[in-house]
Amino acid sequence: MSSEKQDARADAHPPTNSAAVLDIEHALVADDPREWSKARKLVVVVTVSAASMIAGLGGNIYNREQAPRHGWANSSISQIEEQLHASSGQISLSLSLFILIQGGVPLIWSALSEFWGRKRVYLLSTALCTLGCIVAALSKTISVLIGMRCIQAIGSSAVISLGAATLADIYEPSQRGTMMGIYYSAPLLGPSLGPILGGVLTQGFSWRATFWFLAIFVGTCFLLFIPFKDTFRRERSLVYQAALKRRLALESAKASEASSLSQVTAVSRIVPVRDEKSKTQATVTDDAPDAIDTLARDRDLEKQQSPVQDDVEAPLQEIKLSLADVNPVKPIIHVLRRMNNLTILTASGLIFAFSYSIAYTCSRTLANEYNYNALQIGLILLSFGVGSLFGSVLGGRYSDYVLRKLKARNGGVSNAEMRLESTLVPMFFLPPSVIAYGWVCERHVHVSAICVMLFLAGFFSICIYSSTLAYIVDANTGRSSSAVASNSAFRGLSAFIAAEVAVPLQVRASQHTLCAPCADFLQDAIGDGGLYSLWCGLTILSELLILLVWWKGGAWREKWERKERGASQS
């Protein structure tokens, strides 16, 4: 523990010989969140972790595995179809849109958080999600339910993307792996607990009870965020500072233009016009505003603002940015144009898509081949959630250990790519776990073997994923929320493609009551063994991408950092 504290101090106070470039993460701020007490930081982690379960619970508390194929009159799907007169396509749409929106909207939430701060976004998003849950519980038509599911997805997507950015606000890089693992363990339980809670509530009450439960849970999270102390500091946000620089440049240009015009007007009033010489003077005077305008435009406005970089406090007190200054696209472009980010986000998306696919297809296998009901399926899937939880916590701690070890070996100097070395061990075990799970399901062996394989697949996949998530934060100093939002978009799109895109092809039409997603089609066409042999190949591909970033990521990242520094200084 003492070594962790020493590393944290070293991160907080970098050596002067390496301080040629200002580290925006360690800019001086009032009430520095990284100086908060351990207990205060832990309260932040617990609050954000609890709220991050909203996304997993909302997406899985009523689900396709509760299909009416086995005559379960109390399944949420069958009740919604009967009471709201919904078609199978509409049910499929309500589930698919939730996943897709939940992946894309964090791009907007992250941009807003760079101006409003984390707390206001948390409050707005949880209030929006609570409203969506209440109206969904009271809905009388399927159209209203689909609309409210979209509202729920918009509201629930904020915490899962901003949670990692909040942890980056309060912890040094050498501590982030452990804390990211602890934080991410809560949302990993959502997909496992959701089917259990959904099955119990639906069979005990009705499908509306699932949304009332969500409304109470999200409302409680809203109340927890009211006394929440915001961790965001404008001085440490590259996105905010870039917007501030644009506003200051605009204000400076306007002030220069106004000053130039006033000076020219004053001079033209003083100079008399008498003869031809005077007329020439007058002509020059008339042209002067254009010349002064040209000079004002040609000035290096950033050199005028050099004090802003040294002392951010003064301009922040004088100028307040508004929503008009929010540009959610530009920060994302800054993240995605770096090859190291694009590569690691692709790898991370593949791993998340696998996790979503295995939870979904396992539900179908247990329902179709083992005749399990929704509650039994949820209990089996809990083994995947428990494995993911252990993988997140232990994988995060191990990544911090590897980072500290490599940093000490490198003379106290670290880089973001060092953390990825911690993924080498689980990389050896993930593909065998994936293919073993597929063929255990294919042969319909005892369910205990499925539980073991689910635990191992969850453990090794999330062990890798937690390290890549910490790397995404470490490699994007000052843009952590935009980077994590990009990760959410990649994983949401990947999960959508993996398990939620409806296709008209059906191999066994008699077994399908819903529009068959791609995962269903592949599962029926080639079986679990063939499907997860394919996923084994995709997980190997994701591991190769991570190794590529481990090898070349530092050079790619430094190349773009030099370009960005050169652009800001020109």
Side-chain angles (χ1 to χ4, degrees):
M1 186 62 69
S2 59
S3 63
E4 293 179 10
K5 292 181 179 179
Q6 290 173 1
D7 286 331
R9 290 195 207 100
D11 289 332
H13 306 286
T16 55
N17 58 2
S18 63
V21 180
L22 178 64
D23 181 3
I24 194 168
E25 274 202 352
H26 298 101
L28 296 177
V29 295
D31 189 22
D32 190 347
R34 296 187 182 180
E35 301 296 330
W36 289 354
S37 66
K38 189 175 181 180
R40 189 176 182 182
K41 290 181 180 180
L42 191 59
V43 169
V44 172
V45 174
V46 171
T47 303
V48 176
S49 296
S52 65
M53 290 184 66
I54 297 171
L57 287 174
N60 295 273
I61 203 164
Y62 94 96
N63 39 59
R64 287 190 182 94
E65 66 263 15
Q66 299 173 4
R69 172 177 174 251
H70 295 289
W72 304 334
N74 289 330
S75 70
S76 59
I77 297 296
S78 61
Q79 287 186 15
I80 291 172
E81 286 183 328
E82 180 183 351
Q83 295 180 21
L84 302 186
H85 308 290
S87 67
S88 59
Q90 290 173 321
I91 297 292
S92 182
L93 182 64
S94 71
L95 296 166
S96 301
L97 284 177
F98 188 92
I99 299 298
L100 189 61
I101 293 174
Q102 197 177 68
V105 173
L107 301 177
I108 299 175
W109 286 127
S110 68
L112 292 175
S113 74
E114 298 290 349
F115 295 86
W116 285 355
R118 318 292 189 214
K119 179 178 179 176
R120 291 178 66 180
V121 173
Y122 285 146
L123 288 172
L124 176 61
S125 62
T126 50
L128 197 63
C129 188
T130 303
L131 177 64
C133 293
I134 293 173
V135 179
L138 299 172
S139 59
K140 302 297 183 183
T141 65
I142 187 62
S143 299
V144 173
L145 180 62
I146 292 174
M148 290 305 102
R149 287 291 285 172
C150 293
I151 297 297
Q152 290 174 27
I154 292 172
S156 65
S157 64
V159 181
I160 195 67
S161 62
L162 295 183
T166 300
L167 266 63
D169 293 338
I170 62 178
Y171 288 107
E172 297 292 346
S174 61
Q175 302 170 310
R176 284 178 192 161
T178 301
M179 304 317 298
M180 288 284 184
I182 295 174
Y183 151 74
Y184 202 65
S185 61
L188 288 172
L189 285 176
S192 299
L193 293 177
I196 298 176
L197 292 173
V200 170
L201 292 171
T202 302
Q203 292 180 14
F205 302 95
S206 74
W207 67 270
R208 297 183 188 275
T210 61
F211 291 110
W212 283 120
F213 172 83
L214 282 176
I216 295 171
F217 181 78
V218 181
T220 303
C221 293
F222 174 82
L223 296 177
L224 290 176
F225 280 123
I226 292 177
F228 184 82
K229 184 72 173 178
D230 203 343
T231 62
F232 176 71
R233 297 295 180 268
R234 296 170 175 175
E235 298 90 337
R236 291 178 175 174
S237 169
L238 282 175
V239 176
Y240 183 90
Q241 294 302 317
L244 180 62
K245 186 180 292 185
R246 290 194 299 270
R247 173 68 75 85
L248 288 173
L250 182 62
E251 296 289 336
S252 178
K254 288 181 179 179
S256 298
E257 183 179 359
S259 175
S260 301
L261 289 173
S262 62
Q263 289 176 7
V264 170
T265 303
V267 170
S268 62
R269 289 177 180 174
I270 294 172
V271 177
V273 181
R274 292 190 191 118
D275 48 19
E276 295 296 325
K277 188 176 181 181
S278 301
K279 289 178 183 177
T280 304
Q281 274 185 334
T283 303
V284 173
T285 306
D286 291 337
D287 293 339
D290 292 334
I292 294 173
D293 256 356
T294 303
L295 289 172
R297 283 195 299 268
D298 290 341
R299 282 180 189 155
D300 187 350
L301 295 176
E302 292 194 9
K303 287 184 179 177
Q304 296 175 4
Q305 297 156 17
S306 57
V308 175
Q309 296 178 355
D310 298 331
D311 185 8
V312 186
E313 291 293 332
L316 284 175
Q317 292 174 357
E318 295 170 6
I319 296 178
K320 285 188 176 181
L321 300 180
S322 64
L323 286 177
D325 298 292
V326 176
N327 181 2
V329 177
K330 195 167 184 178
I332 303 304
I333 292 176
H334 277 291
V335 172
L336 297 182
R337 69 183 180 181
R338 294 185 179 186
M339 184 58 69
N340 64 305
N341 287 338
L342 194 59
T343 306
I344 203 73
L345 288 172
T346 303
S348 178
L350 285 173
I351 294 174
F352 184 83
F354 160 72
S355 300
Y356 191 89
S357 176
I358 197 173
Y360 174 63
T361 57
C362 182
S363 301
R364 296 184 70 249
T365 298
L366 293 173
N368 296 341
E369 307 299 338
Y370 290 80
N371 296 319
Y372 281 7
N373 60 31
L375 181 58
Q376 291 172 315
I377 291 171
L379 292 173
I380 299 299
L381 284 176
L382 194 58
S383 60
F384 183 78
V386 172
S388 299
L389 188 152
F390 278 98
S392 181
V393 175
L394 298 179
R397 289 190 66 86
Y398 180 64
S399 73
D400 277 350
Y401 165 76
V402 170
L403 181 63
R404 287 195 302 270
K405 184 180 70 172
L406 294 177
K407 181 179 177 180
R409 189 184 300 171
N410 198 35
V413 179
S414 64
N415 59 65
E417 287 69 31
M418 287 180 176
R419 186 183 297 279
L420 294 179
E421 189 169 323
S422 65
T423 63
L424 296 180
V425 174
M427 277 183 184
F428 285 106
F429 299 98
L430 178 58
S433 301
V434 173
I435 199 168
Y437 163 78
W439 287 101
V440 162
C441 292
E442 180 75 16
R443 299 300 180 185
H444 305 152
V445 300
H446 193 270
V447 72
S448 60
I450 295 180
C451 291
V452 172
M453 291 301 106
L454 283 173
F455 178 89
L456 294 177
F459 179 87
F460 292 120
S461 63
I462 301 303
C463 192
I464 296 174
Y465 183 84
S466 63
S467 294
T468 61
L469 182 63
Y471 170 79
I472 290 167
V473 173
D474 292 346
N476 293 275
T477 304
R479 293 195 184 97
S480 57
S481 64
S482 299
V484 176
S486 300
N487 182 63
S488 297
F490 267 72
R491 74 179 195 175
L493 182 61
S494 300
F496 183 82
I497 294 172
E500 296 295 333
V501 178
V503 294
L505 298 175
Q506 297 181 356
V507 175
R508 301 174 189 172
S510 62
Q511 293 185 3
H512 288 271
T513 57
L514 300 178
C515 291
C518 289
D520 291 1
F521 172 65
L522 288 172
Q523 190 178 21
D524 284 337
I526 60 179
D528 284 310
L531 175 61
Y532 284 95
S533 295
L534 175 62
W535 267 118
C536 178
L538 291 175
T539 55
I540 292 174
L541 174 61
S542 70
E543 292 177 351
L544 292 175
L545 292 175
I546 294 171
L547 291 175
L548 181 60
V549 176
W550 179 48
W551 176 44
K552 296 287 290 183
W556 291 337
R557 178 174 48 81
E558 290 169 4
K559 174 186 173 182
W560 276 104
E561 287 175 352
R562 285 194 299 269
K563 283 186 178 181
E564 290 171 2
R565 287 198 299 268
S568 65
Q569 293 171 4
S570 61

